[in-house]
Amino acid sequence: MTEPSRILLVRLSSLGDILHALPALRSLRSAFPEARIDWLVEQRMKFLLRAVPGIDEIHAVDTRAWRKRPWSIQAAVDFWGLVRRLRARRYDLALDFQGLLKTGLLSYLSGAKCRLGFSRELVRERPAHWFYTRTLDRPHAGAHVVRLNLALAQAAGGHEVSLLSPLQTAEEDLCAIEILLGKEQLSSYVIINPGGGWATKRWSAASYGQLAGRIQRELDLAVAVTTGPDEEHLYHEIRKHSGNPAPRHFPVSFGQLIPLCLKASLFIGGDTGPFHLACALGTPVVGIFGPTSPERNGPISGNDESVVHLLHCSFCYGRACPTQNECMDISVDEVFEAVTRRLARARAQKNVKDPPPVAAILCGRPPRQ
């Protein structure tokens, strides 16, 4: 394949999955610094890509609206309008990191001469691989999704790059976090993020509360609980079980979560977007895993910790559970021990040398809208 000058990346959602594809973007940008690299994403996820350096243009789609009214005139106008915009860019190469029928089809309709995706065994919906001109077979069993995405980029000529991902942050978000930490007089703190898109992936708020209390009393570290929209009740449940002092509640935006994570001593959470953000930034993490595999979806640093209970049905990737979600029946003691190990490891690394920041907050070239 000749060196591409116009590249389209297709990963529509979700927050964590897009974060998992960022090293692949940097791999391609490193190999083809002068190439135009665009990204096709869901409208509701566009905010994340605005924080990512190295993208020339973001193409946003609203597939939810299409599904609600698939036969409406407006849906047809929007769909074919997107196709015309994509084909007008005359892409040499399209990479589909999602492996769905719709993403494979959109890759094909983009008009890209070469279309790379995962093999039939790796795609989430098997018909997707029909639309690719080249496919990537599984590098090895249990490969982390970040490495799978990076392998796909390298199949197109991308370079080997770090798995960490620097992100851009607006000046007002940086200032907001500086003011917040100053007001709370926090310099060392642990983030607990109790949320999760699937109920089966969430550790109980009561357990998080007990953990927060032990971290503050036994390790003398402040705890900040971050929550997203409609998750405030999780903080109140944590507060009820934490004792005194109460952990702080920081219902911050995504943009504010970036500097908050970079300044944190540790991030604790399940398999969800904010957890993967912390991993991408290089923040030390402790992950609590149940229906999803930490080998595939967990921390990308070997220094980090994952806590799991292995059962005969482990890693079913189910959004509902017929056995009362036993895989998330993890004790506070187990997680607290993982916390102390990870904090000790982070302190030891800091004492050996004073490394540069793991992921700088950049002010790079903004994407065209």
Side-chain angles (χ1 to χ4, degrees):
M1 184 178 71
T2 59
E3 183 171 307
S5 60
R6 295 175 295 278
I7 303 170
L8 176 67
L9 309 185
V10 181
R11 178 76 231 195
L12 302 181
S13 62
S14 59
L15 181 60
D17 291 318
I18 292 171
L19 288 163
H20 285 153
L22 297 187
L25 163 67
R26 291 188 298 100
S27 170
L28 293 165
R29 178 55 73 196
S30 174
F32 312 117
E34 301 304 318
R36 177 191 182 98
I37 303 180
D38 299 345
W39 196 306
L40 180 60
V41 71
E42 288 280 2
Q43 179 66 45
R44 66 184 187 279
M45 292 289 122
K46 188 176 179 179
F47 72 92
L48 168 56
L49 292 185
R50 285 174 174 154
V52 178
I55 301 174
D56 288 292
E57 185 173 12
I58 302 169
H59 299 288
V61 299
D62 188 352
T63 61
R64 285 182 176 178
W66 293 352
R67 290 196 301 271
K68 286 179 181 178
R69 302 183 64 190
W71 309 115
S72 70
I73 294 176
Q74 188 59 53
V77 169
D78 292 343
F79 178 80
W80 290 111
L82 170 68
V83 171
R84 283 195 298 272
R85 289 196 303 274
L86 294 177
R87 296 182 74 87
R89 301 298 184 269
R90 299 184 180 276
Y91 293 113
D92 305 304
L93 171 66
L95 294 91
D96 179 9
F97 295 102
Q98 196 151 355
L100 298 177
L101 177 59
K102 64 183 176 183
T103 55
L105 176 61
L106 287 167
S107 300
Y108 172 76
L109 292 175
S110 74
K113 301 171 186 176
C114 180
R115 300 178 299 279
L116 268 66
F118 297 112
S119 66
R120 184 175 64 175
E121 292 72 30
L122 285 175
V123 291
R124 289 175 58 190
E125 296 175 355
R126 287 203 169 187
H129 82 281
W130 296 341
F131 298 103
Y132 309 141
T133 59
R134 291 176 55 196
T135 59
L136 176 76
D137 291 324
R138 187 186 298 275
H140 63 83
H144 196 288
V145 65
V146 171
R147 296 195 178 277
L148 282 175
N149 290 334
L150 186 56
L152 189 64
Q154 290 175 316
H159 290 166
E160 182 71 34
V161 293
S162 166
L163 301 184
L164 302 180
S165 298
L167 297 173
Q168 298 171 166
T169 300
E171 186 66 29
E172 56 265 29
D173 289 331
L174 286 170
C175 291
I177 292 303
E178 292 288 353
I179 292 170
L180 178 63
L181 296 177
K183 180 181 177 181
E184 296 289 340
Q185 298 183 332
L186 289 183
S187 56
S188 297
Y189 57 91
V190 172
I191 295 174
I192 284 179
N193 187 87
W198 309 352
T200 52
K201 293 196 292 187
R202 297 185 207 125
W203 200 40
S204 75
S207 296
Y208 274 122
Q210 295 171 41
L211 178 67
R214 291 190 64 178
I215 290 171
Q216 296 199 134
R217 290 189 297 273
E218 299 179 36
L219 302 181
D220 196 27
L221 276 170
V223 172
V225 178
T226 57
T227 56
D230 303 318
E231 292 180 344
E232 188 170 347
H233 67 283
L234 295 176
Y235 170 74
H236 293 306
E237 186 70 12
I238 289 171
R239 171 67 186 89
K240 187 165 68 174
H241 290 86
S242 65
N244 291 316
R248 276 79 162 183
H249 183 208
F250 292 170
V252 296
S253 68
F254 174 81
Q256 294 166 351
L257 189 58
I258 296 171
L260 189 68
C261 284
L262 284 171
K263 295 174 181 292
S265 300
L266 183 70
F267 184 104
I268 306 168
D271 180 6
T272 188
F275 173 83
H276 298 301
L277 173 65
C279 293
L281 295 172
T283 303
V285 302
V286 171
I288 305 170
F289 283 78
T292 57
S293 167
E295 187 176 9
R296 184 182 187 277
N297 302 95
I300 54 179
S301 169
N303 291 319
D304 289 325
E305 294 273 344
S306 296
V307 187
V308 296
H309 267 179
L310 293 177
L311 303 172
H312 72 281
C313 56
S314 285
F315 316 140
C316 67
Y317 284 80
R319 300 191 181 208
C321 178
T323 61
Q324 299 181 332
N325 217 33
E326 292 178 13
C327 62
M328 291 301 283
D329 187 18
I330 296 170
S331 73
V332 174
D333 285 343
E334 289 175 276
V335 180
F336 184 75
E337 289 168 7
V339 167
T340 56
R341 287 194 300 269
R342 186 63 186 96
L343 287 170
R345 201 174 295 127
R347 293 190 187 103
Q349 289 175 311
K350 188 172 183 180
N351 289 336
V352 170
K353 59 179 180 179
D354 189 14
V358 290
I361 299 174
L362 302 179
C363 296
R365 177 179 54 178
R368 290 194 287 269
Q369 303 303 310

